[in-house]
Amino acid sequence: MKKILFNTSESASPLLLRIFLALVIFPHGAQKLLGWFGGFGYTGTMSYFTDHVGLPYVIGLLIILLESIGAILLLTGFATRFLAGFFLVLAVGIIVTSHWENGFFMNWYGNQAGEGYEYFLLWIGMALALVYSGAGRYSFDRLMSR
């Protein structure tokens, strides 16, 4: 199990994927957990998730933790395949529950009811590549696999 979870190469490609995926996801988590970047913080986000979206409390908590602490762990390359798998599931869930009905494209011109899902397809592609490749260079996974 350890080999499956932590085995990785010395390639720089997964390092770049980790950095940029974490940089894209972390601000969303910081909005939800800490209220940074104009977010509602933990209480406001949990209220939205449970009262308006209808998510169970534990699922809302896992989303907040994954997008905030999970993004930091991804950046460091710790349990990358495991985290990338969860980011993959989260992105699919976001598309299905919130963006599918708005179509493919982002709402650049404000003429749609909401945002499309093109952004999340990139997120899914990056996460799939990390599930396949592992963390790559300069990662805790690389240290643990030795």
Side-chain angles (χ1 to χ4, degrees):
M1 182 67 162
K2 179 182 173 186
K3 185 173 182 169
I4 293 171
L5 190 61
F6 295 111
N7 192 28
T8 188
S9 70
E10 188 61 26
S11 175
S13 296
L15 168 67
L16 295 172
L17 287 169
R18 280 191 294 116
I19 290 170
F20 284 97
L21 187 57
L23 288 175
V24 166
I25 293 174
F26 177 76
H28 294 279
Q31 286 179 318
K32 292 173 179 74
L33 181 64
L34 305 169
W36 294 359
F37 311 112
F40 297 109
Y42 181 80
T43 305
T45 302
M46 284 305 291
S47 174
Y48 174 75
F49 280 166
T50 57
D51 298 341
H52 298 286
V53 179
L55 291 175
Y57 181 88
V58 70
I59 299 297
L61 176 64
L62 289 173
I63 290 169
I64 291 170
L65 293 175
L66 181 63
E67 287 187 4
S68 55
I69 296 167
I72 293 169
L73 292 173
L74 182 69
L75 185 65
T76 66
F78 182 78
T80 299
R81 283 190 165 100
F82 180 75
L83 288 168
F86 277 111
F87 283 125
L88 174 69
V89 170
L90 179 59
V92 170
I94 291 169
I95 288 173
V96 170
T97 61
S98 302
H99 295 275
W100 186 259
E101 67 274 0
N102 298 321
F104 179 78
F105 293 103
M106 301 282 292
N107 193 11
W108 294 105
Y109 304 108
N111 57 0
Q112 297 173 189
E115 297 293 339
Y117 54 85
E118 67 179 313
Y119 163 79
F120 295 101
L121 287 180
L122 293 173
W123 177 339
I124 289 169
M126 293 170 83
L128 275 172
L130 288 169
V131 167
Y132 177 77
S133 69
R137 188 178 295 176
Y138 307 121
S139 66
F140 280 110
D141 289 358
R142 179 98 176 116
L143 291 173
M144 294 178 84
S145 70
R146 289 183 180 168

